[in-house]
Amino acid sequence: MALKSFIEVRPDSHFPIQNLPYGVFKPSPNSPPRPAVAIGDYVLDLSEIASAGLFDGPILKNSSDCFHEPNLNKFLALGRPAWKEARTTLQKLLSSTEPTLRDNADLRRKSLVPMENVEVLLPIAIGDYTDFFSSMNHAKNCGTIFRGPQNPIPANWFHLPIAYHGRASSIVISGTDIIRPRGQGHPAGNSPPYFGPSLKLDYEMEMAAVVGPGNELGKPVDVNQAADHIFGLVLMNDWSARDIQAWEYVPLGPFLGKNFGTTISPWIVTLEALEPFSCDAPKQEPQPLPYLAEKISKNYDISLEVKIKPAGQKDSSVITKTNFNHLYWTLTQQVAHHTINGCNLRPGDLLGTGTISGPEPESFGCLLELTWNGQKPLSLNGTTRKFLEDGDEVIITGSCKGDGYTVGFGTCEGKILPSLP
Amino acid sequence: MALKSFIEVRPDSHFPIQNLPYGVFKPSPNSPPRPAVAIGDYVLDLSEIASAGLFDGPILKNSSDCFHEPNLNKFLALGRPAWKEARTTLQKLLSSTEPTLRDNADLRRKSLVPMENVEVLLPIAIGDYTDFFSSMNHAKNCGTIFRGPQNPIPANWFHLPIAYHGRASSIVISGTDIIRPRGQGHPAGNSPPYFGPSLKLDYEMEMAAVVGPGNELGKPVDVNQAADHIFGLVLMNDWSARDIQAWEYVPLGPFLGKNFGTTISPWIVTLEALEPFSCDAPKQEPQPLPYLAEKISKNYDISLEVKIKPAGQKDSSVITKTNFNHLYWTLTQQVAHHTINGCNLRPGDLLGTGTISGPEPESFGCLLELTWNGQKPLSLNGTTRKFLEDGDEVIITGSCKGDGYTVGFGTCEGKILPSLP
């Protein structure tokens, strides 16, 4: 029989007892942030559970102070054995057959807070944010659009998971408005470059891995041990100003075209919760170098969807339907590659997958691809879009369908505000 | 008459009372880190000065707890009025005519520690590290080497200070050994890519600005106010593996070719101390866009030198002699550009200048340029170098010559250790 909580969880909820994703919230505007897991329409305040002495397993009984921190970094640093223990403890505590919390009205009142009443915060202090480029269809489409259909994918792409460093300071939590960036675009002929509000503002449908224990500077992580360095996944929108990016990116890569804002979803879904949805990663040809060759090459079957809700419209339109399993390079290969030169990861680092596009046009993960750089405007419920307009809300969701339950990520949302005058 | 300290300062010292650069040190291996300024061969422990109540100006008398922190970030966030007040207080306290510290043997004993006895640490918690590409000669040389002599400088270069995001986690303090990174290089013909220890390990002679007060996400910094966001400068060696970089950097820029280590000097020299050495920045043609056009366009006359000391040799050889004033884009233009899209800077962020090369061959700031990508090996005291070899120590120094004193940066050093087996 499926595990069931004493808390009622709607069948379509993203947060059944099988999920228990981690986040950080404030019960009221002036209270300090505290770690939590989501369960149905509630958040379970882990600082209260720790204070009640209920993390009583061998690891956490001496280190449950990690749940009195304003972010999850200390918990992340503890590693997989502690994460497994916490999951066991919490699944037991929340199960319908366990009286400890179920029958303790005082503790329930203190520790279970309706989600609609709380403010969710960035769950981690992000030291470094790296963005990969691991979807082959995205690489092919972008290459074709920018460099033509001959050899659209650069020669290095099939040998290494290409990545660049993004901006950590401008990573924001779902629901934060995004101000349209100003910047330079390509000059027309001999004129000076364009300057003004971006004319090609885009979203990018990504997911991102949250790093658990790091590695010491100079000590690479073996690809077959790399999963132990990944705590879980979030949804991510890597907002992109294509005109700024196109003009600035030679020869050192994207900068102002990306670093004005990156949105993540508030609840980190653990690899443990995703394990039932693991699947084979695509076959890689040519075979990767030994440091990237892994014994088990795993993806996850996570359905992903992007909707746009234009200002003033009641309804949103689905514009992307894709899946995490389109990624060519696995999360573990990303970690092994990132550290092969000795680069050190730290708990809380964020590793974006890059835009996740599938082979079908409706699975393309950004407007650049969907509208082919604005050449084929997209129909949206009576209006059209080449790129994002002011007032547009972009809503990303993701979930895995289990047998009678859903393990989901909630949403990753943001609205475009007009540029500064 | 020139300002003079009661502490004897050798005439060639980098740290006279006119400098007073900020750092963080540990008096003994188990003591907590504490902020300091360097004076001659001593460090002045600012936590002791704060505890003694000697920061008694209007701003710091209520916020001198910033000197009880393990890094300078809180002090940096206070901004220029606080920095000026601290400088006035410390210059008075250390001057030969002021008895407060000079005649208080107990306080002198507690607060003045011989520099040779202390461990210096990274002075700041670095949230984000950005590296610019602001030397025209460096851009021209690299462009010629990689893309040929026709139009070696990309079209965008004269319109914006090109930059990319670097890695914050692998920034280390001077004196930290650097392990030769392993990684992929270009395949030869139809073979798989090269994999192994980098064969083209290089240094890059840079300086970096340390950000003071940040800006809110979405709110650009005006170029004419940008100087108030810069606390001071350090020396920086942006170690680079040219073979890894050349293979990976298309289309998203440098990643593993750079992020295995970046070394900075321990003492942050403030813009106040550098002000006597300010000079006009180069004339910019074409004229920059209005958001980059500044009323006063300032560089600094800082002589920079790089030496290599091969393993087993007693002497080092000078290989680069250059100057900060070769930079085309100013520090203030870098800040204005970085934030024009709304990107937020935070106190302690690091903004590298990029390699500082002048027009003369001896002023080239890296081996890639000095040996023209290994084609013209460099003579070094009886041996030669195309790129760095194991055991090589790279020592960067920088200083400004004043009237009877030197405002210097000390050194930024690192030794190459062999790659992991």
Side-chain angles (χ1 to χ4, degrees):
Chain A
M1 205 189 84
L3 191 61
K4 209 175 157 313
S5 177
F6 67 86
I7 294 170
E8 204 184 336
V9 175
R10 285 175 289 108
D12 62 341
S13 171
H14 280 196
F15 307 128
I17 193 168
Q18 288 81 1
N19 192 351
L20 301 185
Y22 287 81
V24 165
F25 78 106
K26 279 196 213 182
S28 63
N30 295 320
S31 59
R34 52 194 72 188
V37 291
I39 174 79
D41 293 329
Y42 290 84
V43 308
L44 177 69
D45 183 338
L46 301 184
S47 71
E48 293 290 349
I49 300 301
S51 294
L54 295 173
F55 285 108
D56 52 4
I59 301 170
L60 288 169
K61 95 180 143 199
N62 296 316
S63 43
S64 69
D65 57 339
C66 65
F67 297 121
H68 295 293
E69 295 279 317
N71 56 52
L72 293 167
N73 292 48
K74 220 167 156 178
F75 178 54
L76 300 187
L78 294 178
R80 189 160 312 281
W83 310 336
K84 278 183 189 281
E85 188 181 297
R87 182 171 170 85
T88 304
T89 298
L90 293 171
Q91 281 193 329
K92 183 167 173 218
L93 210 53
L94 288 165
S95 83
S96 56
T97 54
E98 170 70 25
T100 313
L101 177 59
R102 185 191 65 192
D103 299 345
N104 183 336
D106 182 51
L107 186 58
R108 278 207 319 275
R109 191 185 44 74
K110 281 198 289 195
S111 65
L112 283 163
V113 190
M115 203 179 273
E116 59 184 6
N117 293 351
V118 307
E119 182 190 359
V120 288
L121 306 171
L122 274 185
I124 41 177
I126 301 166
D128 280 288
Y129 153 46
T130 301
D131 201 16
F132 284 85
F133 185 51
S134 288
S135 148
M136 185 170 66
N137 292 289
H138 177 62
K140 191 169 89 181
N141 290 333
C142 294
T144 306
I145 289 167
F146 288 127
R147 292 177 295 275
Q150 303 79 22
N151 303 315
I153 302 183
N156 54 8
W157 195 91
F158 288 98
H159 294 285
L160 54 89
I162 291 180
Y164 68 100
H165 287 297
R167 182 91 192 162
S169 70
S170 54
I171 297 175
V172 297
I173 195 72
S174 176
T176 308
D177 293 333
I178 298 291
I179 299 173
R180 180 180 296 272
R182 293 182 300 168
Q184 297 191 24
H186 267 289
N190 284 326
S191 312
Y194 168 81
F195 178 78
S198 169
L199 303 174
K200 291 189 172 182
L201 187 55
D202 202 354
Y203 71 93
E204 285 195 334
M205 161 75 251
E206 303 198 14
M207 295 194 75
V210 176
V211 172
N215 61 303
E216 204 182 315
L217 186 61
K219 302 273 170 63
V221 174
D222 184 279
V223 70
N224 294 307
Q225 262 111 56
D228 284 342
H229 293 266
I230 301 172
F231 177 65
L233 294 176
V234 291
L235 303 169
M236 187 168 94
N237 185 342
D238 183 31
W239 305 95
S240 298
R242 301 301 185 186
D243 42 355
I244 298 174
Q245 184 184 350
W247 171 233
E248 76 178 353
Y249 89 106
V250 173
L252 298 181
F255 183 56
L256 299 188
K258 299 276 193 177
N259 67 11
F260 57 91
T262 307
T263 306
I264 62 172
S265 58
W267 298 104
I268 308 173
V269 178
T270 64
L271 290 199
E272 274 76 30
L274 292 171
E275 188 52 35
F277 310 99
S278 66
C279 56
D280 288 343
K283 189 170 155 48
Q284 298 181 328
E285 184 55 47
Q287 211 184 317
L289 284 166
Y291 80 93
L292 293 171
E294 50 190 346
K295 288 180 190 140
I296 301 167
S297 200
K298 205 187 264 187
N299 258 1
Y300 297 94
D301 178 11
I302 306 170
S303 299
L304 299 165
E305 199 177 85
V306 184
K307 291 181 283 193
I308 293 186
K309 186 170 170 296
Q313 286 201 11
K314 221 179 63 206
D315 297 318
S316 54
S317 307
V318 174
I319 53 170
T320 299
K321 272 180 175 298
T322 184
N323 194 300
F324 185 85
N325 68 17
H326 290 310
L327 291 176
Y328 182 88
W329 294 104
T330 65
L331 298 176
T332 37
Q333 289 177 318
Q334 291 173 1
V335 167
H337 183 65
H338 203 318
T339 61
I340 184 62
N341 68 342
C343 180
N344 56 332
L345 304 178
R346 295 179 293 188
D349 283 352
L350 202 67
L351 308 181
T353 57
T355 303
I356 305 175
S357 294
E360 311 84 14
E362 61 271 26
S363 67
F364 294 173
C366 61
L367 287 168
L368 177 73
E369 293 171 74
L370 286 167
T371 72
W372 216 251
N373 199 16
Q375 291 174 52
K376 302 190 288 186
L378 204 64
S379 259
L380 281 192
N381 200 11
T383 176
T384 62
R385 284 292 177 276
K386 293 178 175 176
F387 288 96
L388 295 173
E389 299 194 359
D390 292 345
D392 282 352
E393 283 179 64
V394 179
I395 302 142
I396 300 177
T397 59
S399 61
C400 309
K401 283 280 164 218
D403 187 7
Y405 66 94
T406 301
V407 166
F409 289 79
T411 62
C412 174
E413 306 185 21
K415 185 164 78 177
I416 303 301
L417 299 190
S419 197
L420 299 181
Chain B
M1 206 187 84
L3 191 61
K4 210 173 158 311
S5 176
F6 67 85
I7 293 170
E8 205 184 336
V9 175
R10 285 175 289 107
D12 61 342
S13 170
H14 279 196
F15 307 130
I17 193 168
Q18 288 81 3
N19 191 352
L20 300 185
Y22 287 82
V24 165
F25 78 106
K26 278 196 210 181
S28 63
N30 295 319
S31 59
R34 49 194 72 187
V37 291
I39 173 80
D41 294 329
Y42 290 85
V43 307
L44 178 69
D45 183 337
L46 300 183
S47 72
E48 292 290 349
I49 300 301
S51 294
L54 296 173
F55 285 109
D56 53 2
I59 302 171
L60 288 169
K61 99 183 138 193
N62 295 317
S63 43
S64 70
D65 56 341
C66 64
F67 298 120
H68 295 292
E69 295 279 318
N71 56 52
L72 294 167
N73 292 46
K74 219 166 157 180
F75 178 54
L76 300 187
L78 294 177
R80 189 158 311 282
W83 309 336
K84 278 183 189 284
E85 189 182 296
R87 182 171 170 84
T88 304
T89 297
L90 294 170
Q91 281 193 329
K92 186 169 171 218
L93 210 54
L94 288 164
S95 83
S96 56
T97 54
E98 170 69 26
T100 312
L101 179 58
R102 185 192 66 195
D103 299 346
N104 183 336
D106 183 51
L107 186 58
R108 278 206 321 273
R109 189 184 45 75
K110 282 198 290 196
S111 65
L112 283 162
V113 189
M115 202 179 274
E116 59 184 4
N117 294 351
V118 307
E119 181 190 0
V120 287
L121 305 170
L122 274 185
I124 41 177
I126 300 166
D128 279 290
Y129 152 47
T130 302
D131 201 17
F132 283 85
F133 185 53
S134 289
S135 147
M136 185 171 65
N137 292 289
H138 176 63
K140 193 169 88 181
N141 290 333
C142 294
T144 306
I145 290 167
F146 289 126
R147 292 177 295 275
Q150 301 80 21
N151 302 316
I153 302 182
N156 54 8
W157 195 91
F158 288 98
H159 294 285
L160 54 88
I162 290 179
Y164 68 101
H165 286 297
R167 181 90 192 163
S169 70
S170 54
I171 297 175
V172 297
I173 196 71
S174 176
T176 308
D177 292 333
I178 297 292
I179 299 174
R180 180 181 297 272
R182 291 182 301 168
Q184 297 191 25
H186 267 287
N190 284 328
S191 313
Y194 167 81
F195 177 78
S198 168
L199 303 174
K200 291 189 172 182
L201 187 54
D202 202 354
Y203 70 92
E204 286 196 332
M205 161 77 250
E206 303 199 14
M207 295 194 76
V210 176
V211 172
N215 61 302
E216 205 181 314
L217 186 61
K219 301 273 171 65
V221 174
D222 185 280
V223 69
N224 294 307
Q225 261 113 56
D228 285 342
H229 293 265
I230 301 171
F231 177 65
L233 294 176
V234 291
L235 303 169
M236 187 168 95
N237 184 343
D238 182 31
W239 306 94
S240 298
R242 300 303 183 185
D243 42 356
I244 298 174
Q245 185 184 350
W247 171 233
E248 75 177 354
Y249 90 106
V250 173
L252 298 180
F255 182 56
L256 299 187
K258 300 275 193 179
N259 67 11
F260 57 92
T262 307
T263 307
I264 63 171
S265 57
W267 298 104
I268 308 172
V269 177
T270 64
L271 291 199
E272 274 76 28
L274 291 171
E275 187 52 35
F277 310 99
S278 67
C279 56
D280 287 343
K283 192 172 155 44
Q284 297 179 331
E285 182 58 45
Q287 212 184 315
L289 285 166
Y291 80 92
L292 293 171
E294 49 192 347
K295 286 180 190 138
I296 300 168
S297 199
K298 207 188 260 186
N299 258 1
Y300 297 94
D301 178 11
I302 307 170
S303 299
L304 299 165
E305 199 177 86
V306 184
K307 292 181 284 192
I308 292 186
K309 185 170 168 298
Q313 286 201 12
K314 222 180 63 206
D315 298 319
S316 54
S317 308
V318 174
I319 54 169
T320 299
K321 273 180 175 296
T322 183
N323 195 300
F324 185 86
N325 68 17
H326 289 309
L327 292 175
Y328 182 88
W329 293 104
T330 64
L331 298 175
T332 38
Q333 288 177 318
Q334 292 173 359
V335 167
H337 182 65
H338 203 318
T339 61
I340 184 63
N341 68 342
C343 179
N344 55 332
L345 304 179
R346 295 179 293 189
D349 283 351
L350 203 66
L351 309 180
T353 56
T355 304
I356 305 174
S357 294
E360 312 83 14
E362 61 271 26
S363 68
F364 294 172
C366 61
L367 286 168
L368 177 74
E369 294 171 74
L370 286 168
T371 72
W372 217 249
N373 199 16
Q375 291 173 51
K376 300 189 290 186
L378 205 63
S379 260
L380 280 193
N381 200 11
T383 176
T384 62
R385 283 294 176 277
K386 292 177 175 175
F387 287 98
L388 295 173
E389 298 194 0
D390 293 345
D392 282 352
E393 283 179 64
V394 178
I395 303 142
I396 300 178
T397 58
S399 61
C400 310
K401 283 280 165 217
D403 187 9
Y405 67 94
T406 300
V407 165
F409 290 80
T411 63
C412 174
E413 306 185 22
K415 184 164 77 178
I416 303 302
L417 299 190
S419 197
L420 299 181

